[in-house]
């Protein structure tokens, strides 16, 4: 399983509708939000086999704005993928 960060930037106007979509999709408790700090964006880290599967957690309202980013951890020697 890979881990993906889902980033859902949106406007204050779309906030309520977006949260309703996320709730309907069953991902409400995966997401944390910056809305009350004036940063209208929700973030979730989910496990998925691939990016296509991770995209299923993206609400339709922000499908063209959302970012889906595959995550990795540095190993004990702090080597990154770039040095591999
Ligand atoms: Zn918001």
């Amino acid at each position: 399983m890979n881990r993906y960060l889902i980033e859902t930037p949106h406007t204050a106007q779309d906030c309520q509708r977006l949260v309703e979509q996320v709730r309907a999709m069953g991902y409400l408790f995966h997401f944390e939000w910056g809305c009350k700090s004036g940063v209208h964006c929700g973030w979730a880290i989910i496990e998925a086999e691939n990016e296509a599967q991770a995209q299923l957690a993206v609400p339709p309202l922000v499908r063209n704005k959302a970012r889906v980013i595959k995550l990795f951890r540095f190993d004990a020697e702090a080597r990154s993928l770039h040095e591999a």
Side-chain angles (χ1 to χ4, degrees):
M1 257 332 179
N2 297 307
R3 285 158 62 82
Y4 290 85
L5 175 71
I6 313 282
E7 194 174 63
T8 63
H10 56 277
T11 62
Q13 290 74 29
D14 284 342
C15 202
Q16 189 67 35
R17 222 150 56 91
L18 179 62
V19 173
E20 286 305 320
Q21 282 187 358
V22 169
R23 188 207 310 274
M25 293 167 74
Y27 284 108
L28 187 61
F29 298 112
H30 286 75
F31 276 85
E32 297 189 45
W33 305 89
C35 303
K36 285 189 177 173
S37 302
V39 180
H40 282 277
C41 190
W43 295 270
I45 293 175
I46 62 158
E47 293 197 335
E49 292 287 350
N50 52 47
E51 187 172 328
Q53 196 185 75
Q55 290 278 359
L56 298 176
V58 175
L61 191 61
V62 294
R63 192 139 281 164
N64 55 353
K65 286 190 290 186
R67 290 203 298 172
V68 176
I69 304 157
K70 186 177 175 184
L71 302 176
F72 76 100
R73 288 203 168 110
F74 288 98
D75 64 20
E77 286 82 42
R79 281 194 301 249
S80 76
L81 292 180
H82 302 290
E83 298 164 43

